[in-house]
Amino acid sequence: MTAQVKLEKKVLSENDRLAADIRQQLKQYGVVALNFVSSPGSGKTSLLERTLSALKDELNIGLIAGDVQTENDANRLRQAGGRMVQPLVTGGACHLDAKMITRVLPEFDLRRLDLLIIENVGNLVCPSSYDLGEDMKVVLISTTEGDDKPLKYPGMFRRSSVMVINKIDLLGTSDFDLERVKANARQINADLKIFEVSCRTGEGLESWYEWLRSLVGNNHQK
Ligand code: MG
Ligand code: ZN
């Protein structure tokens, strides 16, 4: 094994240990955690703005808004009604890791939270290797991207449980083929749950909200 590979393995096993601690804490307080991943510009923040304004009176949602620089997204999410939004600026790192989550988690009163959403840095490569203690990864793809993304970044689509296809209002304005992207994604991960939405027009969002409600409801029954 080269020194570089050894170092990477050590970093990842340290990350896994911290992620297991986070998962344990969240479980203890009955908090469901989702890790949102995508390329830059797929609409993670837009989907979260919509989700917060729709569900803020029903569910206690905590948000960790990861970005390489700026707290712009955190501010947008507060404006959308997020009462528990924590910015996480990586200062250059192209992914979030469990250590960063460990640092911001004490800012939340976990007893009050139903759902913790982590918005990862826009990047389909390394965030797939870093467990943040989440229950599931949610991967977003938009119709302005290539419909072969699942084949190009199989690791991310394999490790995600849910795929949200955003900007369906723009279907037909490019060569993006909805059936083809779904077939490509299912070729990588047959169990992927798929939502088709437009954060601009609101189309398809009701079934996404319904799924989040049932996710939290089922967790409370446990
Ligand atoms: Mg964002
Ligand atoms: Zn990275």
Side-chain angles (χ1 to χ4, degrees):
M1 224 188 311
T2 67
Q4 176 68 29
V5 171
K6 263 190 197 156
L7 179 66
E8 271 174 30
K9 282 217 157 133
K10 187 164 176 277
V11 168
L12 284 175
S13 69
E14 168 72 359
N15 187 81
D16 285 349
R17 195 181 58 72
L18 291 171
D21 287 349
I22 295 167
R23 186 166 285 113
Q24 178 55 36
Q25 255 189 88
L26 294 173
K27 198 176 164 193
Q28 183 189 339
Y29 291 103
V31 182
V32 183
L34 299 177
N35 179 0
F36 274 49
V37 291
S38 80
S39 311
S42 304
K44 293 185 296 303
T45 312
S46 300
L47 180 60
L48 293 177
E49 281 177 311
R50 282 281 197 165
T51 303
L52 275 174
S53 40
L55 299 180
K56 64 179 189 294
D57 298 326
E58 287 175 59
L59 304 179
N60 291 309
I61 304 176
L63 268 143
I64 297 175
D67 257 313
V68 175
Q69 281 305 344
T70 83
E71 296 187 5
N72 294 355
D73 287 0
N75 291 332
R76 278 173 62 185
L77 294 168
R78 285 193 189 105
Q79 247 153 31
R83 290 178 293 263
M84 294 167 279
V85 180
Q86 197 56 41
L88 207 176
V89 176
T90 68
C94 49
H95 58 267
L96 300 184
D97 64 29
K99 197 186 220 165
M100 300 175 193
I101 303 299
T102 305
R103 265 203 323 263
V104 296
L105 206 57
E107 303 295 326
F108 295 95
D109 180 359
L110 294 181
R111 287 167 304 182
R112 285 190 51 219
L113 281 194
D114 300 309
L115 179 62
L116 177 68
I117 297 179
I118 303 166
E119 181 184 345
N120 216 311
V121 175
N123 173 357
L124 282 175
V125 186
C126 34
S128 75
S129 306
Y130 288 84
D131 183 2
L132 304 180
E134 73 272 3
D135 291 288
M136 294 180 207
K137 285 187 178 67
V138 175
V139 62
L140 264 78
I141 181 167
S142 74
T143 63
T144 55
E145 301 170 54
D147 53 27
D148 56 352
K149 279 250 168 101
L151 304 178
K152 285 184 172 168
Y153 303 95
M156 189 57 97
F157 288 82
R158 196 172 298 124
R159 293 189 181 108
S160 295
S161 309
V162 178
M163 173 169 85
V164 178
I165 306 169
N166 186 26
K167 308 189 192 178
I168 57 165
D169 56 305
L170 298 179
L171 276 172
T173 61
S174 70
D175 291 335
F176 184 95
D177 184 320
L178 190 59
E179 292 313 312
R180 197 160 52 214
V181 79
K182 290 195 275 188
N184 287 341
R186 290 216 157 103
Q187 187 183 323
I188 301 298
N189 180 352
D191 299 327
L192 211 49
K193 182 163 184 59
I194 300 177
F195 292 94
E196 298 163 26
V197 309
S198 164
C199 291
R200 198 164 70 105
T201 64
E203 191 180 349
L205 286 172
E206 197 45 58
S207 50
W208 160 251
Y209 302 148
E210 201 43 50
W211 179 75
L212 286 175
R213 288 184 190 105
S214 64
L215 192 67
V216 170
N218 292 340
N219 188 55
H220 284 173
Q221 278 160 23
K222 270 194 260 169

